[in-house]
Amino acid sequence: MLEKWNGLVLASVTSAAALFASSADAVEIEYWQYFFDARVTAMEQLIESFEAANPDITVKMTHFPYADYRTKVAAAIPAGEGPDVVQLFYGWLNDYIAAELIQPLPADVFDPATIDAEFFPMVQAMKGDGAYYALPTAVRSLALFYNERLFDEAGIESPPETLDEFIEVAKKLTKKDGAGNITQVGITTGMTAQDHHWFREGLVRQFGGEPYLDDYHTVNYNSDAGMEALKFYTDLEKVHEVTASGFMDEPQAAFKAGRAGMHIDGSFRIGSLNGVRGLKWGVTELPATSDGVRSNYSSYWVNGITTKAEGEKYDAAVKFMQYITSDDAMQVWLDVVGELPAKPSVGLTESNANDPTYGPFIRGLAYAHTTKFANESAQRQVLVDLVARTDIEGQPLEDSLAVAVAEEQKILDDYYD
Amino acid sequence: MQIYANLTIRQKHIIWAWAFLALPVLFYGIIRFYPTGNAFLISFQDWNLLGKRTWTGWDNYIKLWNDPVFWKVFKNTFAYLLIGTPISLFLSFLIAYHLDKLRFMHGFLRMLYFLPFMTSAVAMAWVWRWFYQGVPIGLFNNMLASIGIPQIEFLNSTTNALPAVLAPAVWAGLGFQVIIFMAGLRAIPTSYYEAAKIDGVGWFTILTQITIPLLRPTIVFIVVFSSIGFLRIFDHVFNMTTNNPGGPLNATKPLVLMIYDTAFNGFDMGYASAQTVVLFLILLVVSLIQLRLLRSD
């Protein structure tokens, strides 16, 4: 009985396999990314034109909600069930390389020297042992969003250029009720959102510091610059009273609701702000210091070839990788998703760099740094707690900074040892 | 077939019983016991889900013992238990006791109390999260501000946050406990009350000498049930503090949230498993103590 049953199962499996195989002689490769409407649409367009150019290859895209993405990818790839080409956050890549789940890109097609020259410099974080392991289609950076209606109302003519102007403008935009409760913030703050990036790679560097040493293995913001950056940041609430942490729950919610004059966020926010009725917003580069020093943070998602892809699938995967990191693909990604091209040749074209919306972000890429995180959420938590200790428990800034540095160093040590 | 025919009826019964039991046994074995055993194993290993598992012995447990966050979280977990259980027990008894005496709109009121229990914890946590916000969007603070009282930091405070998160969790569980208590109250024979009335005993004596002693099994059940619930509290905390999970400064973080964070943000499966084993042991001990209380009945 059991044998008969086995035979039946085997027969149906093989016939099903034959059915699928006979539909095309094409090589099918699988591509995974997380679900975000515009990203899926953009990738569908790219796959369509890729398949038109390479009729012998079909690409099957699978996507998951963002919340499950990292876990599913991490569970599927080691089990050999996963994709041939996968999209990963740059910060996850080290773990995948260490576990030998990602193959280095072939140097004859992806020449490291050419990539060094052609891509924005922060992409070099994806290089190891003389080869690139993965490449982004698009990158992200931070900029200062501002509410044009509130600017007009407060009689502010142009967005702030320097950190001093930034505080002055924020003061004009802040509103309080009779009891002194803030009802409209000049600038949103919250280390839980993008501010921890602004602090690390923006403010600390602008005040003359170097946030990390030894390729991000050593925490280094326990310096005068770190202290100044922290003071600047916490003074916004404590001295200048132009913000309240946790105002309206989330910084982006306050900005969307028109209750915040300014808001620092990533280029990925553009899409969701475009849909907000009644919100007239503009965007400008992050404020510089009075002597013109600027700094920015950049992050990106990369595409890599998993070790599952072998033989003809590997060749197809390489071709697909080549296509999705091409200039054309980057322009599609910018137009559809609103994410910035990873190459200056595409990003810094006349029309892209001067675009009123994308321009400030693209210009920011030129002076952007990419933090190499060991555990992004834990490292973010360190900075959240750094400010919370001073805010809730009244701990002096110096002490709180020292605790934070020790905590973050411990995370790095545990990870790299 | 010959073998089967030679069996006694009793043996055949056993074979059939096992045939039917095979499915749930298999299900439990594969879905429950295998992963549980695996968690014990992983707790002695270092594993990031991607690479190889390496044996580390007691390292994860030693790390846990020396982790100040763990002890903070341990304290929080018991704070949820020790504040939540008595309050919900007291409130649900109070409501059930009075609801039981009420005839007017009895069904409607019972429904109102039961409604939060049926509501999704996620939706409820988010609504309460907004209630707790500061001016201009928070309901409570807007009310305070409109009568000139300074705002209260509900969630952004190391002292207020835990009770603030606990309140909706208690409220959500209340409906179920009220129903159980009412069933318990109805199960007490009326003859006792009649006898007490004939003896001319006051309401307080009736309550403490008849009602509460006879409700003992109900009380023990509710205590066991809600203790396990509070020890495993997760969804309310997670949803009310998503920006800063278990914050501020770990003031609201329960053990389950720490496990989640270690496993699915830190991808430190070994350490997360060690925490899970500790949670398992806590639940085991608490349940055993409570079972013992039940048995002495």
Side-chain angles (χ1 to χ4, degrees):
Chain A
M1 180 60 206
L2 198 68
E3 271 165 30
K4 215 188 238 171
W5 174 246
N6 274 345
L8 198 70
V9 170
L10 198 69
S12 58
V13 167
T14 42
S15 62
L19 205 71
F20 283 110
S22 62
S23 66
D25 291 335
V27 188
E28 186 183 79
I29 55 170
E30 208 171 318
Y31 177 78
W32 281 18
Q33 69 166 336
Y34 70 85
F35 179 79
F36 185 80
D37 216 1
R39 288 171 154 266
V40 171
T41 317
M43 191 41 77
E44 275 166 358
Q45 282 184 26
L46 291 179
I47 288 174
E48 203 173 305
S49 28
F50 175 74
E51 286 177 346
N54 299 278
D56 55 334
I57 302 173
T58 53
V59 182
K60 190 180 149 219
M61 174 170 55
T62 308
H63 46 72
F64 306 104
Y66 179 73
D68 307 334
Y69 187 70
R70 188 172 179 186
T71 323
K72 281 206 172 151
V73 171
I77 294 182
E81 295 294 321
D84 301 292
V85 178
V86 65
Q87 195 176 71
L88 300 169
F89 190 61
Y90 79 94
W92 307 346
L93 197 74
N94 278 339
D95 289 342
Y96 283 80
I97 295 173
E100 292 176 357
L101 297 169
I102 293 285
Q103 317 186 37
L105 300 172
D108 52 331
V109 185
F110 294 93
D111 175 36
T114 319
I115 295 171
D116 286 350
E118 285 184 354
F119 280 73
F120 279 111
M122 65 261 176
V123 173
Q124 287 168 21
M126 298 297 104
K127 198 164 59 168
D129 304 329
Y132 272 89
Y133 275 87
L135 278 177
T137 302
V139 292
R140 302 147 158 202
S141 64
L142 302 178
L144 182 69
F145 289 88
Y146 57 92
N147 185 319
E148 288 182 350
R149 288 224 164 94
L150 299 183
F151 265 51
D152 290 345
E153 195 186 289
I156 302 160
E157 278 166 11
S158 63
E161 274 296 307
T162 66
L163 289 170
D164 295 335
E165 283 174 35
F166 170 74
I167 292 172
E168 290 316 308
V169 167
K171 281 181 183 165
K172 286 183 198 159
L173 291 163
T174 308
K175 281 186 194 161
K176 292 180 181 170
D177 66 10
N181 299 317
I182 292 187
T183 56
Q184 177 179 307
V185 291
I187 168 79
T188 61
T189 46
M191 282 289 181
T192 54
Q194 299 298 314
D195 286 3
H196 70 112
H197 297 307
W198 183 41
F199 177 79
R200 271 182 242 276
E201 301 293 359
L203 294 174
V204 172
R205 286 181 191 275
Q206 284 179 291
F207 286 103
E210 182 82 26
Y212 299 87
L213 297 175
D214 309 329
D215 197 26
Y216 289 92
H217 289 206
T218 308
V219 183
N220 191 43
Y221 52 79
N222 47 340
S223 57
D224 292 346
M227 206 35 230
E228 268 184 79
L230 179 62
K231 187 162 170 10
F232 174 85
Y233 186 78
T234 50
D235 275 359
L236 290 174
E237 178 165 352
K238 297 293 174 205
V239 175
H240 307 300
E241 298 183 4
V242 293
T243 186
S245 65
F247 179 73
M248 289 186 71
D249 202 17
E250 283 178 67
Q252 52 95 11
F255 188 74
K256 274 185 190 161
R259 292 273 191 170
M262 294 182 286
H263 171 59
I264 288 173
D265 214 329
S267 33
F268 42 82
R269 189 68 62 198
I270 296 171
S272 71
L273 289 180
N274 274 333
V276 182
R277 212 164 44 141
L279 182 70
K280 252 180 73 187
W281 54 274
V283 64
T284 185
E285 285 174 77
L286 291 182
T289 59
S290 49
D291 31 2
V293 179
R294 289 184 192 272
S295 191
N296 204 321
Y297 164 76
S298 168
S299 66
Y300 43 91
W301 286 75
V302 290
N303 297 298
I305 301 174
T306 68
T307 36
K308 185 190 151 204
E310 286 170 349
E312 52 179 7
K313 288 202 178 206
Y314 177 74
D315 298 335
V318 170
K319 275 189 190 166
F320 186 59
M321 270 295 296
Q322 240 179 321
Y323 180 69
I324 57 179
T325 52
S326 66
D327 291 13
D328 294 345
M330 290 181 189
Q331 190 64 47
V332 169
W333 209 262
L334 176 67
D335 295 339
V336 178
V337 187
E339 286 190 325
L340 319 170
K343 281 184 186 174
S345 61
V346 192
L348 297 175
T349 58
E350 192 82 11
S351 63
N352 284 343
N354 291 325
D355 185 279
T357 308
Y358 300 121
F361 293 99
I362 292 174
R363 293 198 296 278
L365 288 175
Y367 47 83
H369 299 266
T370 294
T371 319
K372 286 189 187 171
F373 286 108
N375 176 351
E376 190 185 358
S377 67
Q379 287 175 264
R380 182 190 75 151
Q381 193 63 49
V382 168
L383 291 194
V384 172
D385 292 349
L386 161 67
V387 173
R389 277 191 302 270
T390 67
D391 179 32
I392 302 173
E393 297 185 331
Q395 195 175 47
L397 297 186
E398 294 84 359
D399 300 354
S400 190
L401 190 69
V403 174
V405 169
E407 278 178 358
E408 188 167 1
Q409 189 59 53
K410 189 171 181 306
I411 295 170
L412 296 179
D413 289 344
D414 284 352
Y415 181 79
Y416 289 112
D417 283 348
Chain B
M1 272 296 109
Q2 192 57 47
I3 302 166
Y4 181 77
N6 287 341
L7 295 175
T8 63
I9 289 186
R10 193 177 148 70
Q11 282 168 329
K12 284 178 184 168
H13 276 168
I14 292 171
I15 286 183
W16 276 106
W18 273 104
F20 283 112
L21 275 174
L23 198 65
V25 165
L26 219 62
F27 177 82
Y28 264 85
I30 296 169
I31 305 290
R32 290 275 167 116
F33 299 135
Y34 168 70
T36 309
N38 223 342
F40 277 92
L41 192 65
I42 295 170
S43 74
F44 294 102
Q45 294 172 330
D46 184 28
W47 188 37
N48 70 352
L49 207 63
L50 293 172
K52 296 210 162 45
R53 298 188 191 178
T54 47
W55 192 262
T56 57
W58 291 95
D59 278 9
N60 286 321
Y61 291 95
I62 295 167
K63 185 176 166 191
L64 196 63
W65 182 266
N66 294 320
D67 187 347
V69 176
F70 170 71
W71 290 110
K72 173 85 192 150
V73 161
F74 190 82
K75 240 172 71 188
N76 289 341
T77 307
F78 278 92
Y80 283 116
L81 172 74
L82 296 176
I83 304 173
T85 306
I87 290 182
S88 62
L89 195 71
F90 175 74
L91 284 181
S92 56
F93 177 73
L94 197 72
I95 294 165
Y97 184 72
H98 289 284
L99 203 57
D100 189 50
K101 295 191 171 358
L102 191 76
R103 287 290 154 264
F104 178 67
M105 296 224 296
H106 176 88
F108 178 70
L109 283 172
R110 206 172 49 184
M111 186 271 286
L112 281 189
Y113 281 112
F114 198 65
L115 217 49
F117 184 71
M118 303 196 299
T119 313
S120 137
V122 177
M124 188 190 298
W126 275 86
V127 171
W128 278 75
R129 173 184 175 154
W130 289 323
F131 281 169
Y132 284 139
Q133 292 304 311
V135 173
I137 57 166
L139 179 77
F140 299 145
N141 274 321
N142 273 344
M143 284 175 1
L144 291 178
S146 66
I147 50 172
I149 295 175
Q151 295 196 56
I152 296 174
E153 292 276 14
F154 288 102
L155 293 176
N156 187 29
S157 151
T158 44
T159 45
N160 298 347
L162 191 140
V165 168
L166 187 58
V170 168
W171 179 58
L174 223 50
F176 178 75
Q177 300 185 4
V178 167
I179 299 291
I180 300 292
F181 260 128
M182 282 180 54
L185 287 170
R186 294 282 162 91
I188 298 172
T190 46
S191 49
Y192 291 124
Y193 292 112
E194 282 158 6
K197 221 177 240 169
I198 292 166
D199 289 345
V201 179
W203 69 269
F204 186 75
T205 316
I206 293 179
L207 179 68
T208 50
Q209 301 302 318
I210 299 177
T211 311
I212 290 179
L214 287 172
L215 272 179
R216 201 184 135 95
T218 313
I219 294 172
V220 173
F221 170 76
I222 290 178
V223 168
V224 173
F225 196 82
S226 79
S227 314
I228 294 176
F230 284 118
L231 284 174
R232 296 189 318 181
I233 190 168
F234 174 79
D235 28 14
H236 281 93
V237 190
F238 183 67
N239 283 291
M240 289 176 76
T241 61
T242 45
N243 292 335
N244 182 3
L249 300 172
N250 298 317
T252 60
K253 193 179 271 180
L255 196 47
V256 184
L257 185 52
M258 187 182 178
I259 294 170
Y260 173 84
D261 189 52
T262 314
F264 300 113
N265 288 321
F267 283 82
D268 190 346
M269 295 298 159
Y271 194 33
S273 297
Q275 294 162 14
T276 312
V277 169
V278 170
L279 176 67
F280 169 78
L281 292 176
I282 294 173
L283 286 172
L284 188 71
V285 168
V286 169
S287 305
L288 282 179
I289 292 172
Q290 287 167 340
L291 266 177
R292 197 178 183 108
L293 290 176
L294 232 177
R295 208 175 289 155
S296 70
D297 193 45

